[in-house]
Amino acid sequence: MYGTLYTVEDTGNLADYGVDFDVYYDDHSSALAHGHQTWEAYYAGGDGEEIEVTTTETVDVCYVSLETTSFESILASRMSDEESEVYDVYMQTYGGRIYFGSPVDFNWHYYVSGEYGYRCEGTRVTESDSLEITVPSGTEVLSVMDGKVKSVSNGKVKLTDGNGSVITLGGLSSISVSAGDTVEMGETIAKVSSSGVLTITFTYKGSSLNPYFYLDIGESELYENTGSATGKAALLIAKAYQYLGVPYVWGGYSPSGFDCSGFVSYCINNCGAGWNYGRLTANGLLDACTVVSSTEAQLGDLIFFQGTYNTSGASHVGIYLGNGQMIHCGSPVQVTSITSSYWQSHFYCFGRLS
């Protein structure tokens, strides 16, 4: 036969019995039109009704017994002493999971002002084995582990869990524990000193590690938004927003120019809340307020800072807006985050007008 050779699907597994045949078509369209067909096949020597096929096969059988062991034991047998120490840390933290508690009762990640490791200061590069967190002076400091106090000195408390982990908390005052005391995770052990900087170092069997990856964070926020301002606070904030962009003028007390205390004093006296305190300095405004804690601060409270220039007590003042922001007369009147390292390092207190 002549034509083009096409492969026919062997749906009957004929090839298994040594059957092989070709089908030819004159053109492609005929092949496409062929479709599925049933073909009659005859086995030479058969009776046309039944075919009996007998197959004999010899195989080799192999039986294998396996004994399992832990992957950790295999690793341990192949590691050096130094590698074993690193592996111990890994197994305790599962590759960096949270292992210790939080040193303060809020999310401190936003307030890291000094990183562990290399730091760039202008053209100078230094290396630090501590983490620095800038928070308000007087913030309660918590034990980060169940363990013992190894030592207390120079505003530092050194804690150990007896398993090779040592965490040192520095920048402390009002320390309430002594060397040898047993402490529990979350227990108050001190307060942040007037520096407003909490330092943390972590070593495991003498090796320095970054505390950032091993310490938990608290459940609350340092500065919580208490909702929309109401009453006198709402009037004060609305008045302050009217002067966004007004330039800073030393001693200024008018919409043509303010300094920090002049701006806050003007808004207080002219917001329609019934207040009339006159033109006060930052310290004068603080004296007119009732001091409230950071966790109790509400929208419309005044926020005070110290050490922003040469004066004792409060040296700068703004109006708290919630969510870690304030409106103040910097240069010019503006809304500013108080979570930056600068403002945290100078934070003094919150005050509330009655």
Side-chain angles (χ1 to χ4, degrees):
M1 296 178 65
Y2 298 95
T4 304
L5 174 63
Y6 292 87
T7 300
V8 177
E9 182 182 5
D10 182 8
T11 58
N13 298 322
L14 299 177
D16 291 348
Y17 302 98
V19 178
D20 186 21
F21 62 91
D22 298 327
V23 179
Y24 292 84
Y25 296 96
D26 292 331
D27 53 67
H28 184 64
S29 59
S30 298
L32 292 177
H34 176 89
H36 292 283
Q37 294 188 19
T38 301
W39 298 75
E40 291 183 353
Y42 296 92
Y43 178 70
D47 59 8
E49 295 295 333
E50 296 181 357
I51 299 176
E52 182 179 349
V53 178
T54 301
T55 302
T56 302
E57 183 179 2
T58 301
V59 298
D60 294 326
V61 178
C62 179
Y63 296 96
V64 178
S65 297
L66 296 177
E67 182 178 346
T68 61
T69 186
S70 69
F71 181 63
E72 182 179 357
S73 63
I74 296 174
L75 285 178
S77 66
R78 300 180 181 182
M79 288 189 290
S80 65
D81 290 342
E82 183 178 354
E83 290 170 336
S84 294
E85 290 186 5
V86 174
Y87 185 70
D88 286 342
V89 175
Y90 174 82
M91 291 305 295
Q92 289 191 44
T93 63
Y94 291 96
R97 72 173 174 87
I98 300 303
Y99 186 60
F100 300 104
S102 176
V104 289
D105 189 24
F106 53 83
N107 187 341
W108 50 267
H109 284 186
Y110 299 117
Y111 310 104
V112 174
S113 54
E115 300 285 354
Y116 173 93
Y118 292 105
R119 301 178 186 176
C120 295
E121 301 172 0
T123 58
R124 194 162 155 263
V125 177
T126 59
E127 186 176 7
S128 176
D129 63 355
S130 67
L131 186 72
E132 295 178 2
I133 305 171
T134 302
V135 293
S137 173
T139 297
E140 290 188 344
V141 179
L142 313 176
S143 172
V144 297
M145 64 171 65
D146 295 331
K148 286 191 174 182
V149 179
K150 190 171 184 179
S151 64
V152 176
S153 64
N154 299 321
K156 295 181 179 180
V157 174
K158 186 175 291 187
L159 306 173
T160 179
D161 63 0
N163 296 318
S165 297
V166 178
I167 293 183
T168 304
L169 305 170
L172 307 180
S173 64
S174 304
I175 297 173
S176 57
V177 293
S178 302
D181 286 352
T182 299
V183 291
E184 295 182 356
M185 187 182 299
E187 175 185 343
T188 299
I189 59 174
K191 293 183 178 180
V192 176
S193 69
S194 58
S195 68
V197 179
L198 173 65
T199 63
I200 307 172
T201 61
F202 172 38
T203 62
Y204 177 74
K205 293 185 177 179
S207 297
S208 176
L209 299 171
N210 189 345
Y212 186 93
F213 299 110
Y214 299 92
L215 299 183
D216 202 356
I217 57 175
E219 297 180 355
S220 65
E221 297 294 333
L222 176 56
Y223 302 105
E224 295 190 24
N225 189 347
T226 56
S228 300
T230 58
K232 292 181 177 181
L235 293 173
L236 176 59
I237 291 173
K239 190 67 177 179
Y241 270 114
Q242 293 179 13
Y243 303 113
L244 284 170
V246 171
Y248 180 92
V249 175
W250 177 265
Y253 180 66
S254 75
S256 61
F258 295 112
D259 64 11
C260 70
S261 58
F263 166 66
V264 175
S265 295
Y266 188 89
C267 292
I268 290 171
N269 296 328
N270 295 278
C271 69
W275 289 317
N276 186 12
Y277 289 95
R279 176 33 167 121
L280 297 176
T281 64
N283 261 323
L285 288 166
L286 177 56
D287 290 339
C289 291
T290 299
V291 174
V292 295
S293 68
S294 299
T295 55
E296 296 173 329
Q298 299 177 1
L299 283 75
D301 286 344
L302 305 188
I303 181 170
F304 297 91
F305 302 89
Q306 62 182 346
T308 54
Y309 61 89
N310 252 342
T311 186
S312 59
S315 61
H316 189 78
V317 61
I319 301 169
Y320 185 52
L321 301 177
N323 287 330
Q325 292 187 317
M326 69 174 173
I327 184 169
H328 70 128
C329 188
S331 182
V333 174
Q334 58 191 274
V335 173
T336 299
S337 170
I338 61 174
T339 63
S340 69
S341 59
Y342 175 81
W343 290 114
Q344 285 298 303
S345 64
H346 291 287
F347 175 79
Y348 194 26
C349 66
F350 284 98
R352 184 173 301 159
L353 295 170
S354 58

